[in-house]
Amino acid sequence: MRNSKTAITFWGTRGSIPSPGKDKSKYGGNTSCVEVKLPNNQLIILDAGTGIRELGKALLHREKEVRAYIFLSHYHWDHIQGLPYFAPAYNAGNTLTILGAKHPKFPLENIFSSQMESIHFPVKSSSLSAHISFNQLSLGNHCVADTEVKIIRVNHPGINFSYALNVDGKKLVYMTDNEILPRITNAKSHIAYEREKFVRFIQGADMLIHDAQYTDREYRIKKGWGHSAWKETVKLAVEGEAKHLVLFHHDPDHSDAVIDSFLKECREQIKKQKSPMKCSGAMEGKTVTV
Ligand SMILES: [Zn+2]
Ligand SMILES: [Zn+2]
């Protein structure tokens, strides 16, 4: 049966390293993983951080046969480390397609299997009985799961992709681990060009899931680490006229109370900019629709 809306469930919202704890129970401690259940019933998974473990269990419970497209933004631990714990990968009859940037030195398949070498993990990748294939992506437009997918590279150490999905005419942009540099007046500079590129890419998004890891003070200390101060994230989202901004890749040191206070300030900033944009914080276990 066809659903009318796309359901987006956050299984991992945290950046850098899992950070469980009583003070993080609202927004969650697992690293990046977002489930996108399309109206055509196809399944797209954005990143395979530790959140993918619980998603795997839910899928085995829910589906007779799991067919999923797993898009990796990049290959830092917090975006791939859950893959060996993704239970559907161990069952014959399931079909998984893993997609990510073509790396000049490391084939995607090796990136996946190397974290299951005996020095790191007790089970060999050859034990995975599901049909697993790999698709090394380049920039531009693609069609996956009968869905139009656009890709650009974002500002993060190494190669990191942002994905814009066109789901039944709705635009969903997943842009994590992106360091937005403050707007500058020199319109010819590389920084200005890159910012314009991001604004165009997110333009009119029905939902923008974006890195908002730091306060301004933290950003000053961690400049160049590839993450954004939330104020810049809000500015970019407003410039791009996104309809709903979801703050994502929460810092492992930020408690629920800290994220709540960010959100309050974000909403005030949005109001000041006279934008109708909605803003929320990605919350582990929560489903939203577009
Ligand atoms: Zn990350
Ligand atoms: Zn990263």
Side-chain angles (χ1 to χ4, degrees), residues 90-164:
Y90 291 83
N91 293 2
N94 293 334
T95 307
L96 307 175
T97 307
I98 299 173
L99 309 98
K102 184 175 166 55
H103 194 283
K105 280 194 196 150
F106 307 106
L108 181 53
E109 191 167 355
N110 292 12
I111 294 168
F112 172 73
S113 60
S114 63
Q115 60 170 346
M116 294 186 79
E117 279 172 14
S118 60
I119 186 79
H120 300 300
F121 198 72
V123 182
K124 287 193 171 88
S125 60
S126 56
S127 312
L128 302 174
S129 309
H131 181 265
I132 302 176
S133 59
F134 297 87
N135 188 350
Q136 304 192 105
L137 298 167
S138 47
L139 300 173
N141 298 350
H142 300 263
C143 184
V144 179
D146 302 321
T147 301
E148 191 190 321
V149 181
K150 290 186 177 170
I151 304 174
I152 58 164
R153 193 168 165 180
V154 292
N155 186 23
H156 195 65
I159 300 171
N160 187 14
F161 279 178
S162 168
Y163 299 106

Side-chain angles (χ1 to χ4, degrees), residues 10 32 34 46-47 73-74 79 150-156 160-165 171-180 194-203 205 207-213 226-228 232-233 236-237 245-249:
F10 294 92
S32 305
V34 181
L46 300 166
D47 274 331
S73 59
H74 62 311
H79 299 262
K150 290 186 177 170
I151 304 174
I152 58 164
R153 193 168 165 180
V154 292
N155 186 23
H156 195 65
N160 187 14
F161 279 178
S162 168
Y163 299 106
L165 312 179
K171 183 170 175 178
L172 167 66
V173 181
Y174 181 70
M175 194 180 263
T176 190
D177 297 56
N178 181 33
E179 182 170 345
I180 307 165
E194 190 156 78
R195 192 173 174 113
E196 281 314 311
K197 182 184 82 172
F198 296 150
V199 170
R200 277 198 306 277
F201 193 71
I202 65 169
Q203 190 65 47
M207 183 179 286
L208 168 64
I209 300 168
H210 199 288
D211 182 315
Q213 189 157 343
H227 302 287
S228 291
E232 282 305 323
T233 300
L236 183 85
L245 167 66
V246 181
L247 308 180
F248 190 72
H249 207 270

